[in-house]
Amino acid sequence: MTSCGAPATQMPAPATEPRAATEAPIATESVIEPYTASSPEFIAPTSTALPTSTPLPPTAGSTQTETALPTLELPTELANPPARVAWDGEPTYPGDSQPGYDFRLFYDPELWAVTTDNFGSPALAHRSIMDCIIVPSVGHGLPSNITVDHEVRKIGPVEYEISTAYLNGVPQFVTYLGGDFNVYTGFELSFKEQTDLCIKEAETVLSTLISIPVSQATPGP
């Protein structure tokens, strides 16, 4: 066939343009400001900042190894402590609270101590129950392997929305949302042992929730 016509002309291969270097996307980091015990002047933010959530145990069968967090350092107990001490802080739902008010809880200083947790948030930690910790919190998403029981219950005079998170039937933490006519705020109670006792003693503290003017708030740790 080729002898009957003009020699076949081989088409040149299309020029290959050098590939542009792929630039890695610029990572962005969300800055989350920890709660402070009080400030000279309360300004309700336009959006609620989410504090870092309590780490959950790895999914059953996962090869991931959970890294143990360091034990919190607690202030030395006073020699002659008062019967109860106030713990003040900004409400975690400022949009549902009246401007110019903080929350206040009362606690027994022989049982609890105000400190800062491993994520920089103010916390109330039990002195004798390891890792029994109350931190101000807002609602947040959960892994699909976590189940949650919801209830509305009065703890003392305060009506709370209570959510208990379970992993394989074992409670992991409990959240409490409540307030009075001035503040609406949330707390998360975490624990690793003596769960029932931790919950009981934490609810004794949560039953004392009231609101106070920001000008009367005591400084945090």
Side-chain angles (χ1 to χ4, degrees):
M1 295 292 290
T2 55
S3 62
C4 298
T9 303
Q10 184 176 3
M11 297 297 293
T16 302
E17 295 182 359
R19 294 183 178 180
T22 302
E23 296 183 357
I26 300 175
T28 59
E29 180 180 2
S30 299
V31 179
I32 300 175
E33 297 183 358
Y35 286 99
T36 56
S38 62
S39 58
E41 182 179 357
F42 178 85
I43 301 177
T46 56
S47 62
T48 303
L50 297 178
T52 306
S53 60
T54 303
L56 297 174
T59 306
S62 171
T63 57
Q64 181 180 0
T65 302
E66 181 182 5
T67 302
L69 295 173
T71 302
L72 299 184
E73 294 185 6
L74 303 183
T76 304
E77 185 179 347
L78 299 176
N80 296 299
R84 64 179 194 171
V85 178
W87 179 35
D88 303 337
E90 299 175 4
T92 60
Y93 290 87
D96 296 315
S97 304
Q98 295 294 328
Y101 285 90
D102 280 356
F103 72 78
R104 170 170 286 179
L105 294 174
F106 291 98
Y107 65 93
D108 183 346
E110 292 185 347
L111 298 177
W112 299 89
V114 173
T115 184
T116 302
D117 71 4
N118 291 305
F119 304 100
S121 297
L124 192 64
H126 203 282
R127 289 187 179 276
S128 60
I129 304 177
M130 184 70 68
D131 296 317
C132 180
I133 304 169
I134 305 171
V135 295
S137 180
V138 295
H140 53 79
L142 295 171
S144 59
N145 61 333
I146 295 291
T147 59
V148 181
D149 284 347
H150 300 282
E151 64 173 317
V152 176
R153 174 165 54 90
K154 274 195 170 184
I155 303 177
V158 186
E159 185 170 84
Y160 281 100
E161 297 177 51
I162 305 171
S163 300
T164 306
Y166 293 86
L167 176 65
N168 299 326
V170 180
Q172 303 297 303
F173 61 87
V174 185
T175 61
Y176 299 84
L177 306 180
D180 59 12
F181 294 106
N182 295 319
V183 298
Y184 187 74
T185 191
F187 302 95
E188 183 173 305
L189 173 66
S190 59
F191 37 74
K192 290 186 179 179
E193 58 184 42
Q194 297 181 270
T195 300
D196 292 340
L197 181 58
C198 176
I199 291 175
K200 178 181 178 181
E201 301 213 346
E203 291 189 354
T204 299
V205 174
L206 295 172
S207 69
T208 67
L209 177 66
I210 60 172
S211 60
I212 59 166
V214 172
S215 59
Q216 297 178 14
T218 54

